[in-house]
Amino acid sequence: KINDKNQLQIGYSRRINRPGLSQLNPFAEYDDPLNIRIGNPDLNPENIDAVELNYNLSLKGHNLIATAYFRHVDGVMQRYRYITGDVSTVSWLNLDRSINFGFEFVARNNWFKWWSMTTNFNMYRNQIIGTSPTGNLEATNFSFSVRSQQSFKMAKVAEFQLSFHYMAPMTM
């Protein structure tokens, strides 16, 4: 805590993200005969190392949070699609690694007693490196997203909300 209005925080975490049942299930789902889904029972968990640096500015009725982050994932779980004739099959595999870093800004504003707003802007770069049954894979993506939610209190028992979410195109 720098003072009453400013706060700085740094954090490191190491996590394990285990695959879910549908990612592991070796029995194919034939809901659509042209689009088959099948799990991979040999799928391993992801190991995630993450570092974040946060700055929080608090003013009367307003908060601004700026975050810089870096994540390194070993054994990243990725959906994999292959096509045989007219049939598309989706399964899962572990790629070597993923490197992700970016900046996120969150503004929380209480403009009036009846109107509050939260806005989020996230800008990031993601790189995935690995080997698939068809050869080496590498994809790098730079993208951003914007989200805003506004709440309006109409009466003591009613509230109206508007939300907006935009995700920029990305390649994977």
Side-chain angles (χ1 to χ4, degrees):
K1 187 172 184 179
I2 299 169
N3 57 36
D4 289 344
K5 296 179 182 179
N6 298 284
Q7 187 175 1
L8 196 59
Q9 189 176 43
I10 188 165
Y12 168 79
S13 67
R14 181 160 174 82
R15 300 186 306 270
I16 294 176
N17 184 25
R18 300 187 192 288
L21 185 59
S22 65
Q23 294 169 306
L24 294 171
N25 186 356
F27 301 106
E29 292 180 29
Y30 293 97
D31 296 338
D32 176 352
L34 297 179
N35 295 294
I36 300 170
R37 289 176 289 188
I38 186 168
N40 178 358
D42 296 323
L43 196 61
N44 294 316
E46 299 174 325
N47 293 303
I48 305 165
D49 290 291
V51 177
E52 290 187 357
L53 176 64
N54 299 314
Y55 170 73
N56 187 349
L57 173 64
S58 296
L59 301 172
K60 187 177 179 181
H62 305 281
N63 276 4
L64 173 66
I65 301 168
T67 303
Y69 59 88
F70 174 83
R71 290 185 193 101
H72 181 273
V73 181
D74 282 320
V76 65
M77 294 182 286
Q78 184 70 39
R79 283 186 313 167
Y80 178 71
R81 178 185 308 259
Y82 54 95
I83 298 174
T84 307
D86 292 339
V87 178
S88 168
T89 303
V90 175
S91 188
W92 290 87
L93 53 81
N94 288 105
L95 298 178
D96 294 338
R97 68 184 169 277
S98 168
I99 300 167
N100 181 295
F101 62 88
F103 301 96
E104 183 173 28
F105 301 94
V106 179
R108 294 185 184 130
N109 305 96
N110 292 318
W111 298 110
F112 301 101
K113 288 182 180 182
W114 53 272
W115 178 29
S116 64
M117 179 172 69
T118 301
T119 304
N120 177 297
F121 175 77
N122 189 6
M123 177 175 52
Y124 58 92
R125 179 184 182 273
N126 190 27
Q127 179 181 24
I128 294 178
I129 301 167
T131 304
S132 76
T134 58
N136 291 335
L137 295 174
E138 185 169 343
T140 301
N141 178 52
F142 177 81
S143 193
F144 70 93
S145 65
V146 179
R147 183 184 306 246
S148 181
Q149 180 177 359
Q150 300 192 38
S151 297
F152 302 92
K153 292 183 180 175
M154 308 300 275
K156 291 186 180 193
V157 294
E159 187 172 308
F160 176 71
Q161 291 185 342
L162 289 174
S163 60
F164 165 83
H165 187 206
Y166 174 76
M167 292 181 67
M170 66 173 100
T171 57
M172 280 291 175

